[in-house]
Amino acid sequence: MDLVRAVADNFSFLATLYLANYVLAIVCAVREIMNSRTSQGTIAWLLSLLILPFPTTIIYLLFGWKLFDDYAESQIHSGRSWRLARSDDLRIVDENTSDDWPVLRKVAELPFLYGNSASLLIDGEDTFASIIDGISRAKDYVLVQFYIIRDDDLGRRFADALIERADAGVQVYVLYDDAGSHALPRSYKKRLNEHGIKIVGFNHRHPFLRLYGLTRINYRNHRKNVVVDGVESWVGGHNVGDEYLGKNPKLGRWRDTHVHVTGPAALACALMFREDWHWATGEELPARYPSTIPTPGNQPILVMPTGPADKLEDCAIAFTEVISRARERLWIVSPYFVPGIEIQTALYAASLRGVDVRILLPRKPDHLIVWLASYAHADQMVAHGIKVHRYGKGFLHQKVILCDDQIAGVGTVNFDYRSFNINFEATLWFTDSDMIANVAAMLDTDFEGSYLTTERNLKRRSYPFRLLCQGARLFSPIL
């Protein structure tokens, strides 16, 4: 009776709320129709909004409503519209390599730049030794961007390196992701601020995205990018945390890969940071282009930033293009494997062409649902004749792709829907024969430390486990 009386007393308010939710459902439905990418996804949203407007409207606002349409303005302010002309003026364009990979060039909106020197950094100790040593050489500025920054031993050592340079008069900018670094305490940021270091979250000036919960979790800046003076840059899979040094007893050794680049490609990494910084803060960083750019090597490198602000699914398009051009070998390494239909189709086609398609995934989970979904997708690959290996020497977190002796990619992109469609990501593409040989040798060692999934393994999977994997797979678009 109390409940009935409460409903009666507040009927007008509840009716207004109910009507407002239906109006919101109509708005969401119209927007989905006008911005649909796939008919299947649009129909699913429309049926849900019609049958169960609450809580579907809330879910749609979190996962269906694209929130980065204004990011293009930041790209204009940061110089995306004129960076191709600028690179031509500086005479650092590798036209032949760019012509060989026109799709990647158009996705990146930047050509392959020649004159670089690049080296692989395997695992955390080598990576952070190189980064911290590079920071110590900074004379003008340091740009730092990580998905996760922790206030632990590595995080404090990293902060000490930044503070030392800031105290020497170097300008230091730090950008972190609000979701990945949600546990970063104010005291850590305050300490950096006290030394003149500017540190902000990616959603710093976008309050709606900063709300706790799924709203700010869904759209993530997953890039890991450090630039020193526009001359050196570091990009790859590592974040700033002790687990990336293998200090998590549950996961053990943390297998990851970064690249250290010296040369013109570092300027492209700096531009990528400037675009993110402008969106996050509204502040335009000065474009410090030197009159002459050092060219310490002979490697052409393409820096490819991708994200939800792209007009098309540029990241998926680029990786599909690389997969489609494989003729002999296609080796893919990722901690998560939840590909969309376009990637699945490209992989099946490569296998049918006789390409040696290998996928290396972790045996240990760090995110259970994604891990289960990865098993469902990977098992399907095995059924189509694709070799799926599970890494057995710790947790595998590197993001690497190798196509024949043509091209290799190292960066932050996981082989999942989130990286291809939702996250802000970065990939560095290499066509130099020495770099490709180094990547191949590195992956050969990784495959030696793994075991191959066989048809027998699939048959031995228990029914409850297979059910869990298939259930997790249903959440693929948001994992």
Side-chain angles (χ1 to χ4, degrees):
M1 293 297 294
D2 291 340
L3 178 60
V4 173
R5 187 177 297 108
V7 171
D9 292 342
N10 296 278
F11 180 79
S12 59
F13 172 75
L14 294 174
T16 302
L17 192 63
Y18 189 75
L19 180 61
N21 189 69
Y22 260 104
V23 172
L24 180 58
I26 293 171
V27 172
C28 292
V30 171
R31 193 177 193 282
E32 177 60 25
I33 292 171
M34 296 302 296
N35 295 276
S36 64
R37 294 286 178 89
T38 65
S39 58
Q40 299 95 324
T42 297
I43 291 171
W45 278 118
L46 294 180
L47 288 175
S48 299
L49 289 166
L50 174 66
I51 298 171
L52 197 65
F54 182 84
T56 303
T57 51
I58 305 301
I59 297 173
Y60 185 83
L61 290 175
L62 300 181
F63 296 105
W65 197 294
K66 200 172 183 180
L67 299 170
F68 290 94
D69 295 337
D70 58 341
Y71 189 87
E73 181 183 347
S74 295
Q75 293 170 333
I76 293 172
H77 281 283
S78 300
R80 173 169 287 208
S81 60
W82 47 261
R83 63 189 184 185
L84 178 58
R86 180 60 174 164
S87 60
D88 283 333
D89 291 342
L90 295 171
R91 302 184 184 280
I92 54 176
V93 175
D94 188 320
E95 292 288 358
N96 291 333
T97 306
S98 298
D99 290 342
D100 287 342
W101 297 93
V103 174
L104 300 189
R105 177 177 183 159
K106 289 180 179 178
V107 166
E109 297 183 33
L110 187 73
F112 277 84
L113 304 177
Y114 74 81
N116 300 283
S117 174
S119 58
L120 291 171
L121 298 170
I122 299 174
D123 293 341
E125 292 291 351
D126 286 349
T127 294
F128 285 101
S130 178
I131 291 175
I132 290 174
D133 184 52
I135 290 172
S136 71
R137 295 191 291 270
K139 294 180 172 57
D140 187 8
Y141 65 88
V142 178
L143 311 177
V144 174
Q145 180 176 22
F146 283 99
Y147 176 61
I148 296 173
I149 300 177
R150 300 200 190 281
D151 185 16
D152 54 18
D153 288 344
L154 178 59
R156 288 185 285 273
R157 181 155 61 98
F158 190 74
D160 290 343
L162 297 177
I163 289 171
E164 188 278 329
R165 286 291 82 197
D167 288 346
V170 173
Q171 292 186 300
V172 181
Y173 303 87
V174 179
L175 187 62
Y176 62 88
D177 183 80
D178 301 79
S181 301
H182 68 277
L184 187 66
R186 290 183 179 179
S187 58
Y188 187 98
K189 292 175 274 190
K190 181 180 178 182
R191 181 182 174 222
L192 295 183
N193 287 151
E194 288 173 347
H195 291 268
I197 296 173
K198 294 185 177 181
I199 176 171
V200 299
F202 184 59
N203 300 321
H204 175 73
R205 68 182 179 115
H206 303 271
F208 180 70
L209 292 173
R210 296 174 65 194
L211 297 175
Y212 279 86
L214 293 173
T215 302
R216 71 188 179 97
I217 288 176
N218 194 40
Y219 292 96
R220 307 170 189 172
N221 196 312
H222 195 240
R223 295 168 181 163
K224 297 93 174 172
N225 177 28
V226 177
V227 182
V228 169
D229 294 341
V231 176
E232 298 181 80
S233 60
W234 292 259
V235 175
H238 290 91
N239 287 295
V240 182
D242 283 347
E243 68 265 38
Y244 293 86
L245 300 179
K247 295 183 178 181
N248 184 317
K250 178 182 177 182
L251 296 174
R253 179 195 176 196
W254 190 280
R255 176 68 190 92
D256 219 329
T257 300
H258 240 69
V259 285
H260 173 212
V261 172
T262 305
L267 282 175
C269 292
L271 177 59
M272 178 170 60
F273 181 92
R274 292 180 70 238
E275 291 175 354
D276 286 348
W277 185 266
H278 182 266
W279 193 86
T281 67
E283 174 187 348
E284 294 183 38
L285 296 182
R288 299 187 177 106
Y289 290 106
S291 56
T292 59
I293 298 176
T295 53
N298 57 7
Q299 294 192 32
I301 297 176
L302 177 70
V303 177
M304 188 181 77
T306 53
D310 299 336
K311 293 180 180 179
L312 301 174
E313 284 84 358
D314 284 351
C315 187
I317 290 171
F319 277 82
T320 302
E321 164 70 2
V322 172
I323 293 169
S324 70
R325 291 180 59 167
R327 291 298 178 268
E328 296 178 3
R329 67 177 172 188
L330 179 68
W331 296 355
I332 296 168
V333 187
S334 175
Y336 316 116
F337 187 73
V338 190
I341 189 65
E342 71 285 352
I343 297 294
Q344 296 177 48
T345 303
L347 290 172
Y348 297 152
S351 179
L352 291 172
R353 287 196 303 273
V355 177
D356 174 22
V357 182
R358 303 186 199 177
I359 301 171
L360 181 59
L361 305 173
R363 180 178 63 85
K364 295 182 178 181
D366 67 333
H367 299 295
L368 183 59
I369 295 180
V370 185
W371 181 74
L372 290 170
S374 293
Y375 260 97
H377 286 280
D379 288 353
Q380 193 173 37
M381 294 289 129
V382 175
H384 283 77
I386 293 173
K387 298 172 185 175
V388 175
H389 297 252
R390 294 281 172 179
Y391 190 72
K393 293 186 176 181
F395 180 70
L396 181 79
H397 192 256
Q398 62 175 320
K399 304 95 165 48
V400 178
I401 181 171
L402 176 64
C403 174
D404 297 338
D405 290 326
Q406 300 183 66
I407 195 166
V410 181
T412 69
V413 174
N414 298 314
F415 254 68
D416 59 13
Y417 183 89
R418 173 169 292 282
S419 278
F420 287 140
N421 298 278
I422 299 177
N423 285 351
F424 289 87
E425 304 282 5
T427 305
L428 269 56
W429 296 100
F430 305 88
T431 59
D432 176 73
S433 58
D434 289 340
M435 187 63 169
I436 289 174
N438 291 337
V439 170
M442 176 185 72
L443 297 187
D444 271 328
T445 301
D446 291 333
F447 281 119
E448 289 174 1
S450 68
Y451 68 87
L452 180 66
T453 302
T454 64
E455 292 282 355
R456 184 179 179 183
N457 296 137
L458 300 187
K459 293 178 181 178
R460 293 173 62 182
R461 301 245 200 271
S462 68
Y463 185 82
F465 181 77
R466 286 188 284 125
L467 181 62
L468 283 173
C469 291
Q470 292 299 327
R473 184 182 180 187
L474 299 177
F475 295 94
S476 295
I478 61 173
L479 292 178

